[in-house]
Amino acid sequence: MVGEGFIGDDFTSHAMKFLEVNRERPFVCYVPLNSPHSPMQGPDPYYAKFRDADLKLRAENPRQEDLDHTRAALAMCENIDANVGRSVAKLDNLKLSNETIVLYF
């Protein structure tokens, strides 16, 4: 099966469909967002935010740092946050927020 778009977005879209289908009964929805990880390729809109950013937390030894890697990791983390937000918004839209426990770690 071929996914659509960045994998975290695709996982979240599938989870949101699951929520819609199962909203009338108790459910467990486990969404293992698998980033940040290599290959270090975040979605373009998120990477653009960090492409030219002046990153404040830097390695003391510049040879120990790969700024493109760090920027991609930050982009992937932003994407995770956005997808958690999409999931919570879906729970709100389905009027399930008051009956649902969301664990995020």
Side-chain angles (χ1 to χ4, degrees):
M1 180 168 147
V2 176
E4 294 183 26
F6 190 68
I7 193 165
D9 299 335
D10 195 38
F11 284 173
T12 301
S13 294
H14 283 285
M16 289 171 30
K17 288 176 189 169
F18 174 88
L19 297 175
E20 289 175 10
V21 169
N22 293 284
R23 67 179 167 227
E24 298 294 329
R25 60 187 181 153
F27 60 80
V28 172
C29 181
Y30 173 65
V31 185
L33 297 173
N34 64 341
S35 61
H37 65 78
S38 63
M40 301 308 284
Q41 300 170 335
D44 289 341
Y46 296 95
Y47 188 81
K49 178 178 177 179
F50 298 101
R51 179 177 292 119
D52 298 317
D54 180 23
L55 304 179
K56 302 296 181 198
L57 297 175
R58 303 286 303 273
E60 289 182 23
N61 181 348
R63 292 182 298 167
Q64 294 177 321
E65 183 173 44
D66 179 345
L67 282 178
D68 287 334
H69 185 276
T70 300
R71 287 185 168 104
L74 290 168
M76 286 188 247
C77 288
E78 288 273 322
N79 178 257
I80 291 169
D81 289 346
N83 280 312
V84 171
R86 287 176 59 210
S87 300
V88 170
K90 177 57 85 174
L91 291 170
D92 288 345
N93 180 266
L94 296 172
K95 306 221 183 314
L96 295 174
S97 296
N98 290 336
E99 302 172 20
T100 305
I101 296 170
V102 176
L103 302 176
Y104 173 54
F105 49 103

